Amino acid sequence: TDDILDVTGDPIEMGKTAGSDERQGKCTYVSSYTLEGACELAGQHVEKAVEAAAVFGNTGVHLIYLIKKLLARKN
């Protein structure tokens, strides 16, 4: 999600300039898979992580919350 935020994030919310990865020529999920592809891949990984954490039942609720929070983060 950090790679996605570097393209889509608000510099004020992030506390850094957006687009720095591209300016530095870094290989990122966005540069490799496109923004749409990187978002889709992130969503797939979150789904798999939630499924894996679900085996913990009620004790995994907080872990699932954190996993989903990573996908929705803005900074």
Side-chain angles (χ1 to χ4, degrees), residues 2-60:
D2 186 67
D3 292 351
I4 295 167
L5 280 176
D6 190 67
V7 174
T8 63
D10 179 343
I12 293 171
E13 284 188 59
M14 294 189 316
K16 67 176 189 175
T17 306
S20 63
D21 290 344
E22 183 179 9
R23 282 193 302 279
Q24 294 177 26
K26 290 184 177 180
C27 181
T28 66
Y29 281 94
V30 174
S31 65
S32 296
Y33 298 102
T34 74
L35 178 57
E36 184 178 301
C39 289
E40 185 176 323
L41 192 57
Q44 291 171 1
H45 285 299
V46 165
E47 285 178 24
K48 287 180 181 179
V50 167
E51 287 174 14
V55 301
F56 296 110
N58 287 338
T59 58

